[in-house]
Amino acid sequence: MSNSAEPGALLDLTLTAGERAFRDEVATWLAENAPRERRPYDGRAMVEFDRAWQRRQFDAGWAGISWPAEYGGRGLSLVQQVIWYSEYARAGAPTETGVCFVGNAHAGPTLIACADEQLKQRHLPAILSGEEIWCQGFSEPGAGSDLAGLSTRAAVDGDHLVVNGQKIWTSYAHHAQQQELLVRTSTGARRQDGITWVVCPMDTPGIEARPITTITGHDDFCAVFYDDVRIPLSNVVGTIDDGWRVAMSTLSFERGTGFLPEQVELVARVDELVELARTRTDRAGRTLICDAGWAERLATARAEAHAVLAMTLAVVSRNARSTLPGPEASMVRLLFSQLQQRVSALAVDLRGLEGLQEGSPWVHDYLYLFATTIAAGTKDVQRSIVAERVLGLPRGR
Amino acid sequence: MPLDLLPDDLQRAIIDAATDLLDPVAAAASLRTRADGPVRDLGVWDKATAQGWFGLAIPEDAGGLGLGTGELALIHHALGRTLTPGPYLGTTVAATVAHATGSPLLAEVMAGLPVGILTTDEPSGSFRTVDREDAGAWLVLSPDRAALLGALPAGAIAATPDSMDPGARPALVTLDSDVECYVEGTRPWTLAILLVAAQLAGIAQAAVAGSVAHTSVREQFGRPIGGFQMVQQRCADMATRADAATQLCLLAALTDADAAQLAASALLVAADAAVTNARDDIQNHGGMGFTWEVDSHLRLRRAHGLRALLCDPTDLRHAVLAGTSARAW
Ligand SMILES: Cc1cc2nc3c(=O)[nH]c(=O)nc-3n(C[C@H](O)[C@H](O)[C@H](O)COP(=O)(O)OP(=O)(O)OC[C@H]3O[C@@H](n4cnc5c(N)ncnc54)[C@H](O)[C@@H]3O)c2cc1C
């Protein structure tokens, strides 16, 4: 009996000789170059760590795996991309949402899809080399899940936009050189009309980024204030008032492929916990894995991590057939984000009192991962996307 | 482009042919009547045989179609989706066992000789089956070995109380002598686990379709109930479970190394998806969901039947937790 599909079938996971060679090349490079030390949680050390790692990948030609070669990318195939991500996760390379995340995972892809040549040339190579750190100025105090309710205003004055207002929860705004900024340039018939997507240099006079301490005790995000901030019109991506379309492509990248390495990595995280449960004992000296309660949580976590991997591959397979990730990615996000939280809770729970040690990686992850069902669209918003755009149910609200 | 989880043209054609052949309305009607006798629809069985379903993964030089486990998973997904009853699972796995052992039964099995599954019943030392009235031959199946048997003497099969799944015809089978023709190996069991998972994933998907169809048209408070957020969120979770189960079954089907662990993962995820989705689908239908006439309960019944068919939750957890994680490629 053969358990593998015959060669030639599309629904197929067999790698060609060339792809196997590529996998080995990637694995070797990562084994020698992925940082061994744990990523610092905060401040300059964190920024330097993220930039140095980005730079090392860039210098070796591994940054922008799927980006066109003319902007410094590798222009590699979908298969090679997936191989890269899975070897990356397997090597234990850093998968935290680092300071280079926005540039790599959604600002860059959005520029590739929607920006003019001049903006692409200026920013894409700088993103890949780690020179430019980007942040995302979408959310506002009055516009979170309801992004179209944003009210930060921009008026056209000569060849500039003049921005006034406030953004919030802007990750790493205090470390960034550039921002993907959504502003309201007019009030149209629909609230989605009259929004503009513009590249905002963070050193422009009139911008103030005030760090906000998060649940983990670190300064990950900021409130950002804009007081007569002048941005050249040539920084607009797409056209004035047409930013909603551009923003939707940004979000589709963020939700679609932005978390691929973490999704692939989750299997290894669960493996560590299964191993931990094989060695840790309860007070009576029995290994934890012999307990039906722990075994059920671990087996479910491992099986669901396998499911996330499979769903990720399906999304990638779908992406290969279109230019923008489709709404099905929201299903992966829904399962993945909640599973990440269950796995990080297991990592704390399995360790008993030791599990509560402040400053430990597992306590940090447990707290940090509350973000995963909030950021990039809350789980409730993701469910609405699945209901209305995947299943075609009547519109709610 | 080999690394791909979406079906290609040939595979789409297989799915379409299965969808054309399998009639969920007729299947549900026959399940509802709970008539005595074989559960399989003989017309459908013959056509499936003619399309080569039982030799799908048998090499061409042995008379099969030379396709793979991925294609088998697609067929079984369709069987689950349409609630088609009958010994499709036993017959499919039996063909692979017959091929691996060079059994003379191979040609007959590929020609539609229905094969029932016997699982060992530890306490009694005899065997359990749910294919009481459909089988012309038997496949003894356990996690590490399998055996093919011809027809059994009538006295060997004793009916046990009906199952809540009307597609099942349970019985206890007692053999006079020990089974001697075992082949050692985990592959038949792994394939069976995987195909049960695929059927369960199909049930989970059918429950989503049932809920979407109903909640899109049923109106309350002057609008379709599918526009209410609580209903939407339930449907979104159902869709996510069904997709997780379906994609994982395909991944497991396409993975050679550590296939046993991924198949067990697929069964764990798919069994939960099928039972939970069937339950949610009943809720989404309100009073209608509580009726014999609506298909929702038939999916619930089959989901429970398939979940319990091969192994219990403890064994399944052990299979998932064994070793380190499977590497897909
Ligand atoms: C760690 C982190 C990093 C972030 N980084 C950035 C960033 O870099 N740039 C940026 O622009 N934003 C960022 N965000 C903001 C994030 O996008 C928003 O927090 C998110 O969109 C939710 O908006 P909100 O906080 O206003 O919550 P709200 O929208 O007020 O939601 C509160 C609760 O109400 C629920 N809710 C709201 N509306 C509905 C509805 N229609 N149906 C059902 N339930 C609903 C939500 O699901 C949630 O549970 C970040 C957030 C976090 C946690």
Side-chain angles (χ1 to χ4, degrees), chain A residues 1-3 6 10-14 87 90 267 271 278 296 302 306 310 317 321 380 383 388 393-394 396, chain B residues 2-5 8 11 66 69 187 215 227 232-233 236-237 251 253-254 261 265 317 320-321 323 325 327:
Chain A
M1 171 182 29
S2 162
N3 253 56
E6 293 299 304
L10 259 180
L11 194 139
D12 188 353
L13 291 175
T14 39
E87 294 306 323
R90 207 166 267 141
V267 173
D271 265 17
R278 284 202 183 106
E296 166 149 37
R302 178 178 270 178
H306 287 151
S317 305
R321 293 162 170 79
D380 307 318
R383 285 192 178 104
E388 292 172 10
L393 285 175
Chain B
L3 208 148
D4 196 329
L5 231 52
D8 68 2
Q11 289 153 348
T69 312
R187 290 208 149 202
T215 64
Q232 286 199 340
Q233 307 246 323
D237 283 341
L251 178 66
L254 301 181
Q261 186 195 62
S265 281
R317 280 203 296 267
V320 172
L321 287 177
S325 248
R327 185 173 169 143

Side-chain angles (χ1 to χ4, degrees), chain A residues 136-139 144-145 168-171 221 371 374-376 378 380, chain B residues 229:
Chain A
Q136 177 186 33
F138 281 23
S139 305
S145 298
I168 199 162
W169 321 131
T170 317
S171 297
F221 51 31
I374 300 171
T378 71
D380 307 318
Chain B
Q229 204 169 47

Side-chain angles (χ1 to χ4, degrees), chain A residues 4-9 12-16 19-20, chain B residues 1-3 254 329:
Chain A
S4 65
E6 293 299 304
D12 188 353
L13 291 175
T14 39
L15 303 186
T16 64
E19 285 156 357
R20 278 199 302 277
Chain B
M1 189 189 59
L3 208 148
L254 301 181
W329 59 86

Side-chain angles (χ1 to χ4, degrees), chain B residues 176-293:
Chain B
D176 285 343
S177 53
D178 287 346
V179 177
E180 277 166 5
C181 49
Y182 277 114
V183 285
E184 308 293 322
T186 56
R187 290 208 149 202
W189 178 260
T190 298
L191 179 63
I193 291 275
L194 176 72
L195 297 182
V196 170
Q199 291 196 21
L200 285 160
I203 292 175
Q205 201 121 69
V208 177
S211 279
V212 169
H214 178 69
T215 64
S216 298
V217 297
R218 163 70 176 167
E219 293 196 5
Q220 285 293 283
F221 302 95
R223 54 195 265 209
I225 57 172
F228 293 120
Q229 204 169 47
M230 191 60 235
V231 176
Q232 286 199 340
Q233 307 246 323
R234 200 153 48 218
C235 290
D237 283 341
M238 291 169 70
T240 302
R241 279 185 216 111
D243 195 50
T246 299
Q247 305 304 350
L248 180 51
C249 284
L250 293 179
L251 178 66
L254 301 181
T255 306
D256 224 355
D258 294 310
Q261 186 195 62
L262 271 186
S265 281
L267 181 54
L268 199 152
V269 167
D272 174 65
V275 172
T276 310
N277 281 9
R279 294 172 62 102
D280 282 352
D281 180 48
I282 291 173
Q283 182 68 27
N284 284 336
H285 278 78
M288 278 178 71
F290 193 66
T291 65
W292 187 255
E293 225 17 66

Side-chain angles (χ1 to χ4, degrees), chain A residues 126-395:
Chain A
I127 290 173
L128 291 184
S129 67
E131 222 170 293
E132 272 188 4
I133 293 172
W134 280 62
C135 63
Q136 177 186 33
F138 281 23
S139 305
E140 297 181 4
S145 298
D146 184 16
L147 183 59
L150 63 88
S151 62
T152 292
R153 296 203 54 88
V156 178
D157 178 25
D159 52 5
H160 281 74
L161 282 174
V162 183
V163 179
N164 282 285
Q166 188 202 331
K167 296 287 171 178
I168 199 162
W169 321 131
T170 317
S171 297
Y172 305 130
H174 47 327
H175 303 305
Q177 285 79 45
Q178 303 291 341
Q179 179 175 47
E180 36 177 38
L181 179 63
L182 284 188
V183 290
R184 182 159 295 289
T185 32
S186 69
T187 41
R190 300 178 321 140
R191 294 180 322 147
Q192 287 83 347
D193 300 334
I195 290 172
T196 298
W197 199 110
V198 64
V199 179
C200 170
M202 292 301 283
D203 59 0
T204 316
I207 297 180
E208 190 200 346
R210 287 185 210 151
I212 302 170
T213 305
T214 72
I215 195 174
T216 66
H218 302 115
D219 295 343
D220 283 346
F221 51 31
C222 296
V224 183
F225 300 87
Y226 305 81
D227 182 15
D228 282 336
V229 173
R230 296 182 68 83
I231 306 172
L233 279 176
S234 57
N235 277 15
V236 169
V237 173
T239 55
I240 293 262
D241 290 346
D242 190 30
W244 186 254
R245 189 182 55 81
V246 183
M248 288 305 104
S249 102
T250 309
L251 293 180
S252 76
F253 288 117
E254 181 173 29
R255 291 164 184 168
T257 46
F259 299 99
L260 266 178
E262 284 112 306
Q263 286 162 208
V264 176
E265 187 212 16
L266 198 56
V267 173
R269 291 248 162 149
V270 176
D271 265 17
E272 285 167 24
L273 296 181
V274 172
E275 223 20 70
L276 183 67
R278 284 202 183 106
T279 48
R280 270 192 92 92
T281 49
D282 62 16
R283 281 170 214 211
R286 287 174 301 237
T287 54
L288 297 182
I289 198 131
C290 295
D291 173 77
W294 290 122
E296 166 149 37
R297 285 174 74 183
L298 286 163
T300 307
R302 178 178 270 178
E304 290 184 344
H306 287 151
V308 165
L309 180 65
M311 293 167 94
T312 302
L313 288 177
V315 164
V316 171
S317 305
R318 263 183 221 116
N319 287 358
R321 293 162 170 79
S322 68
T323 48
L324 287 183
E328 295 85 4
S330 285
M331 293 193 285
V332 197
R333 183 83 191 138
L334 261 179
L335 177 59
F336 169 62
S337 58
Q338 296 176 85
L339 178 58
Q340 257 190 321
Q341 293 178 346
R342 284 195 290 274
V343 170
S344 68
L346 251 173
V348 167
D349 294 349
L350 277 169
R351 292 179 163 92
L353 264 182
E354 188 195 336
L356 306 185
Q357 189 186 319
E358 179 69 11
S360 62
W362 49 89
V363 165
H364 175 268
D365 285 356
Y366 174 65
L367 294 171
Y368 181 77
L369 287 171
F370 275 85
T372 187
T373 49
I374 300 171
T378 71
K379 63 181 170 191
D380 307 318
V381 167
Q382 305 285 3
R383 285 192 178 104
S384 296
I385 293 172
V386 174
E388 292 172 10
R389 294 182 42 215
V390 178
L391 298 178
L393 285 175
R395 284 188 68 82

